[in-house]
Amino acid sequence: MKFIHIADTHLGFVPDAGQTWNRRSEKDLWDSLSEVFQVAENEKIDIILIAGDLFHRQPLMRELKEFNYLCSKLTHTLVVFIAGNHDYMHPKSNYRRFAFAKNVRFLSANELSMVELKEYNACIYGFSYWQKELKEPRYDGIKPKDPGKINILIGHGGDAKHIPFRETTFRGSGFDYVALGHIHKGGQIIRNRVVMAGALEPTDCNDIGPHGYWMGEVTKRGCEVSFFPIRKCEYVLHPIPVHENMTSIQILEQIKNDLKTRKAYQYYKIILEGTYDSELNLKAEQILELPGIAAVENRLLPAYDFKRLKAEYRNTLLEKYINRIEKLPQNMVTKQAMYYGVDALYQTKEDTR
Ligand SMILES: [Mn+2]
C-alpha cells in the first residue's frame, strides 16, 4: 500500500504576518497541499494520512469546501485525517456539520476508532482532539486489534501538553506505521516505522530547515518511507562570526558574500556570534534590508579590555568581579558570566566605586 504522510498544514494561517521582507501568503499553504495531492494523483498513491492541524484554527465552511474539492479530484487515493489541537472538535466546529467526499475518512471521535480498508487488508487507527490540550499519554498501550492486517496509527502530539509520548510508546505497539504530527520539525522517531511529519510548510522563521511530505510503501513485511521537501520557503540558521576588530561595513560585506550561495527559496536567520567593539555601529535594520534575510539575532558580547578596566576601576566591585571570575576555570559559562557581569557593572559604573 503506497502512502503519503503529512501534518501541520495549518491552512488558514497567514505566514509571517506583519513581515515586510517576505511575500509569503496564506495561499502558499494551499499551494503546497495541492502540490502534494498532485503527487498522490501522479504516483497512484493509495492513501494520504494527515496527522492533525490540517487547519490552523476552526475551519471556515469555504475552507472545508476547498479541502474537500482537492480530495474529491483524486481518482485513486483515499484521504484519512484527524483533528489536532489547533483545529480540535469544538462543539460548534464546522467539522461537525460537513459532509466529506466519499474518498475522505475523518477519524473525528475522541476515542480510538478505525477505518478498515478491505482491498488492502489494512486498518487505520486514530482519534481527534476535542480540546486544545490533552496532557494524558493516550498513545501508551494502544494496540491494533488484528495483528494480521497492515496496521497504521495516525497520531498528534509529543509535548507535555499534547499527548506526551516517547519512542518506547510505539516500539512494541504492533503498528506497521505510525504517522505523527504536531512537532513542526519532522524526522524518523523509529526508522521506517514511526515518523513525525513536521509542518508541510514552515509557519514562521523559527521553523528552521526543510519541510515537506513523506512518501512510502507499507506491507506486512515492513515499511519504507522517505522525505520529500517542498521548496517554497526554507528558513536557514546562518551564524556570522564577528570579532572586535571588524567594522560594520565589513560585517555587512561578509553577510552579502554569504548570501550569494543562498537558494531562491531560502531565507536566512542571521546569528551574530563573537565579540564586538563598543564603537561598532551596526543596526539590525541594515541586515534586514538585504534580500533573503528573515531575522537577525544578536548574540555578540562586548570586547572588554579586562586588564585596563581593572586598572581604571581599582578597588571597585568591577575590579573584584573580574578578579573573582578570572580565578575560576575558564569555559563558555565563565566567559559569558565575565561578559554579562562586567557589562552590567560597567553600565552602572558610577555606583560601583
Ligand atoms: Mn499541533
Side-chain angles (χ1 to χ4, degrees):
M1 187 169 70
K2 288 163 80 178
F3 69 90
I4 281 180
H5 164 203
I6 58 171
D8 298 272
T9 43
H10 285 274
L11 299 171
F13 180 68
V14 185
D16 310 297
Q19 296 274 18
T20 49
W21 49 268
N22 193 330
R23 287 170 296 277
R24 291 178 77 204
S25 73
E26 194 185 328
K27 191 176 159 287
D28 287 18
L29 306 183
W30 285 96
D31 287 349
S32 295
L33 186 72
S34 303
E35 201 176 314
V36 171
F37 277 37
Q38 193 56 55
V39 172
E41 183 65 15
N42 297 346
E43 300 287 325
K44 293 207 162 16
I45 293 296
D46 300 309
I47 182 162
I48 295 177
L49 308 161
I50 307 177
D53 288 354
L54 173 62
F55 293 95
H56 186 62
R57 33 134 182 86
Q58 288 306 321
L60 306 173
M61 278 312 261
R62 68 167 168 81
E63 291 174 327
L64 285 172
K65 280 181 198 162
E66 296 284 9
F67 169 69
N68 193 51
Y69 170 72
L70 291 175
C71 295
S72 70
K73 276 202 308 182
L74 297 164
T75 58
H76 180 83
T77 313
L78 189 79
V79 179
V80 185
F81 77 103
I82 58 171
N85 57 308
H86 276 266
D87 55 351
Y88 69 101
M89 288 285 283
H90 187 275
K92 289 181 181 167
S93 177
N94 286 325
Y95 271 147
R96 291 171 185 263
R97 57 192 186 102
F98 194 84
F100 287 99
K102 61 180 188 305
N103 66 325
V104 181
R105 300 284 188 285
F106 180 20
L107 294 168
S108 63
N110 64 354
E111 297 298 332
L112 191 69
S113 66
M114 176 257 274
V115 189
E116 190 171 356
L117 310 171
K118 290 220 168 72
E119 62 271 46
Y120 304 114
N121 189 38
C123 287
I124 321 286
Y125 291 81
F127 60 85
S128 284
Y129 278 62
W130 280 43
Q131 62 230 62
K132 279 184 191 165
E133 291 182 357
L134 276 175
K135 292 179 184 167
E136 302 79 38
R138 290 186 55 191
Y139 295 123
D140 287 27
I142 282 187
K143 279 191 166 40
K145 282 196 192 103
D146 182 352
K149 293 207 157 67
I150 295 173
N151 291 299
I152 295 177
L153 174 67
I154 309 183
H156 191 90
D159 65 31
K161 288 180 177 173
H162 306 93
I163 319 185
F165 56 72
R166 290 179 302 168
E167 179 202 323
T168 48
T169 305
F170 305 109
R171 191 162 277 287
S173 65
F175 287 101
D176 299 288
Y177 186 70
V178 181
L180 295 168
H182 184 60
I183 307 296
H184 282 197
K185 187 174 173 55
Q188 305 206 40
I189 296 171
I190 298 176
R191 202 173 132 73
N192 284 323
R193 206 155 75 76
V194 180
V195 172
M196 179 60 74
L200 185 61
E201 283 262 340
T203 52
D204 67 42
C205 63
N206 297 312
D207 282 351
I208 301 293
H211 286 76
Y213 59 94
W214 297 77
M215 185 159 62
E217 186 160 10
V218 58
T219 67
K220 212 47 220 173
R221 292 180 306 280
C223 174
E224 260 188 54
V225 65
S226 312
F227 176 69
F228 295 83
I230 293 236
R231 294 194 155 135
K232 273 202 185 57
C233 171
E234 178 184 315
Y235 294 108
V236 179
L237 273 190
H238 190 83
I240 298 284
V242 174
H243 56 79
E244 63 259 35
N245 298 325
M246 283 173 95
T247 71
S248 49
I249 293 175
Q250 197 180 359
I251 296 168
L252 283 172
E253 271 176 6
Q254 177 68 55
I255 297 172
K256 278 182 206 162
N257 196 47
D258 289 7
L259 282 168
K260 283 180 192 158
T261 52
R262 179 184 77 98
K263 307 266 189 323
Y265 59 86
Q266 290 180 323
Y267 293 90
Y268 283 15
K269 182 172 179 180
I270 297 286
I271 313 286
L272 297 171
E273 289 177 340
T275 52
Y276 71 94
D277 185 303
S278 55
E279 310 270 280
L280 183 75
N281 186 24
L282 179 65
K283 303 261 181 307
E285 294 81 63
Q286 290 173 279
I287 302 172
L288 286 167
E289 273 170 14
L290 302 173
I293 302 289
V296 179
E297 195 180 313
N298 187 351
R299 293 188 194 159
L300 293 178
L301 300 168
Y304 284 115
D305 181 342
F306 298 116
K307 220 172 143 185
R308 188 184 58 77
L309 278 178
K310 280 199 293 186
E312 200 173 324
Y313 293 91
R314 196 170 296 280
N315 298 322
T316 67
L317 189 56
L318 191 57
E319 190 207 3
K320 281 181 210 144
Y321 185 80
I322 296 170
N323 281 334
R324 186 73 186 270
I325 299 281
E326 277 177 344
K327 282 190 194 110
L328 296 172
Q330 294 303 301
N331 54 39
M332 202 49 212
V333 176
T334 45
K335 201 174 167 182
Q336 286 191 336
M338 179 69 104
Y339 280 112
Y340 293 132
V342 168
D343 207 38
L345 291 168
Y346 188 73
Q347 301 306 330
T348 56
K349 52 187 177 291
E350 299 309 314
D351 314 325
T352 58
R353 285 179 192 272

